[in-house]
């Protein structure tokens, strides 16, 4: 009775189904290996935790943070963008703290679109994009990410009659772990600018890159008509802190600040101080964190390929995206895999129609556990009934 149509339009989550399957596996006494959620199992850098600890003892941090109080974090974000990508953003007008990239996207859509506008979304893509679009009353058009194109969209194939108000991209990508180079962003920004489309680049995996690979910023192609969402959740293992920042087009950032002013305050000042410190840490700190995920990739991918699954070799992110031969119902498979083997993965279908046939592994366990998970999955039939009858 109290459900608005916009709330009703928010799609249900397959992850609730997986959570139930996980509980059943535990009830059966199975030792569960949960690789379903991309939440870093690493700790934030010690100095970051110390900054937060100290801030909790400072009474100045107890009050509501005003915009002027966010200056140190905005300045740290601008310095990070310059150091890391050579991007110059004005901390006054082109940077805004967020309570995470997910919050930022939902409010940005409310800030820059009107109900009925068209939003281009990657398929497969991070599931909350659809929920945020539903809340904003948007018509979504899926943008296929195909394996043969390296999971990059073919923007030229978008029909002329599709006039998107905004396009969401995300590289390094969740769930496919694909990466995009600077030339791709140059093309994508030109395509968007020619249509009056805002390019929203969701960039939470910016520092989770392996070997010599470094992910570019979409802002390297200029700030006009581009907003990039950064997060400390993965790069600094601060997912529970809920902090990130938006940077880019001054008009879109001003609109976002207006909407956020109506619905929330800025993050707790102690968290802002911790985040500002994290953004200023030497690059080696981020490299060390990324190396942990790289070692996991090195262990898991060969084990999955040993099962006869097709998995590309990720250069970044914290996922393995595996195409399973013969798989036609990834949700049923993932539930059965959890119930029979205790290995919990995300079904590809949860990320969109084009995710069918795939499963996603989050690299959130040590290498030997990932290999053990792959070995257990060898005993799970790709097709079959779900024993619980779910
Ligand atoms: C593509 C993508 N965007 C956003 C988020 C959420 O980021 P945050 O914790 O900053 O809200 C995630 C988390 O998994 C993600 O994969």
């Amino acid at each position: 009775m109290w459900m608005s149509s916009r709330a009703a339009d928010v799609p249900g989550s397959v992850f609730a189904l997986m959570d139930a399957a996980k509980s059943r596996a535990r009830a059966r006494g199975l030792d569960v290996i949960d690789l379903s959620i991309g939440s870093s199992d690493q700790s934030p850098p010690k100095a970051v935790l110390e900054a937060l600890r100290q801030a909790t003892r400072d009474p100045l941090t107890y009050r509501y943070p005003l915009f002027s109080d966010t200056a140190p974090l905005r300045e740290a974000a601008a310095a990070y963008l310059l150091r890391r990508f050579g991007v110059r953003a004005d901390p006054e007008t082109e940077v805004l703290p967020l309570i995470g990239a997910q919050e930022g996207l939902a409010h940005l859509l409310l800030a820059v679109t009107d109900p009925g506008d068209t939003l281009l979304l990657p398929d497969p893509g991070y599931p909350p994009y659809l929920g945020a679009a539903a809340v904003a009353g948007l018509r979504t058009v899926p943008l296929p990410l195909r394996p043969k194109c390296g999971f990059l969209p073919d923007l030229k194939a978008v029909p002329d009659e599709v006039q998107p108000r905004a396009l969401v991209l995300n590289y390094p990508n969740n769930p496919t772990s694909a990466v995009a180079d600077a030339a791709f962003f140059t093309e994508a920004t030109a395509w968007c600018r020619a249509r009056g489309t805002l390019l929203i680049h969701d960039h939470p995996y910016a520092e989770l890159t392996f070997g010599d690979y470094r992910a570019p910023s979409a802002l390297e192609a200029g700030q006009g008509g581009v907003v990039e969402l950064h997060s400390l959740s993965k790069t600094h293992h601060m997912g529970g802190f809920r902090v990130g920042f938006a940077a880019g087009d001054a008009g879109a950032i001003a609109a976002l600040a207006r909407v956020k002013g109506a619905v929330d305050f800025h993050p707790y000042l102690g968290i802002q101080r911790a985040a500002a410190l994290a953004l200023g840490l030497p690059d080696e700190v981020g490299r060390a964190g990324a190396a942990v995920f790289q070692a996991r990739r090195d262990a898991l991918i060969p084990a999955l390929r040993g099962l006869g699954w097709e998995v590309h070799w990720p250069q970044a992110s914290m996922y393995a995206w595996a195409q399973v031969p013969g798989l036609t119902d990834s949700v049923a498979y993932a539930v059965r895999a959890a119930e029979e083997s205790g290995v919990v993965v995300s079904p590809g279908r949860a990320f969109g129609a084009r995710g069918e046939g795939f499963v996603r592994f989050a690299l959130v366990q040590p290498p030997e556990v990932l290999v053990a998970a792959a070995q257990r999955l060898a005993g799970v039939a790709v097709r079959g009934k779900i024993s619980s009858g779910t």
Side-chain angles (χ1 to χ4, degrees), residues 38 99-103 126 129 170 172 174 202 204-205 230-234 239 242-244 319 360:
I99 308 171
Q102 186 168 334
E103 174 272 323
Y126 181 52
Y129 293 160
N170 155 231
N174 177 11
D202 188 18
Y205 301 98
H230 286 261
S231 164
L232 283 90
S233 296
K234 324 281 180 180
R242 311 309 304 131
V243 64
Y319 305 107
R360 190 198 73 175

Side-chain angles (χ1 to χ4, degrees), residues 152-176:
L152 293 171
D154 179 6
L155 291 171
K156 289 187 204 82
V158 176
D160 281 346
E161 57 275 17
V162 177
Q163 304 260 316
R165 177 76 175 146
L167 157 67
V168 179
L169 293 174
N170 155 231
Y171 293 99
N173 183 257
N174 177 11
T176 68

Side-chain angles (χ1 to χ4, degrees), residues 11-73:
S13 167
V14 174
F15 296 101
L17 197 70
M18 292 314 302
D19 206 35
K22 199 173 7 184
S23 302
R24 283 193 296 276
R26 284 211 176 96
R28 287 181 53 200
L30 286 173
D31 162 31
V32 166
I33 303 180
D34 189 355
L35 308 177
S36 62
I37 307 280
S39 186
S40 176
D41 59 325
Q42 306 294 296
S43 294
K46 281 202 178 67
V48 170
L49 295 176
E50 192 44 42
L52 179 60
R53 232 173 254 129
Q54 279 177 17
T56 61
R57 295 188 201 112
D58 178 358
L60 285 177
T61 68
Y62 301 163
R63 58 190 164 76
Y64 287 126
L66 302 174
F67 180 73
S68 56
D69 294 317
T70 69
L73 177 52

Side-chain angles (χ1 to χ4, degrees), residues 353-385:
R354 295 216 167 243
E356 190 49 278
F358 289 80
V359 291
R360 190 198 73 175
F361 294 77
L363 305 173
V364 292
Q365 297 279 346
E368 62 281 6
V369 178
L370 296 173
V371 172
Q375 284 161 352
R376 283 200 216 170
L377 288 176
V380 179
V382 168
R383 292 173 195 242
K385 288 205 164 42

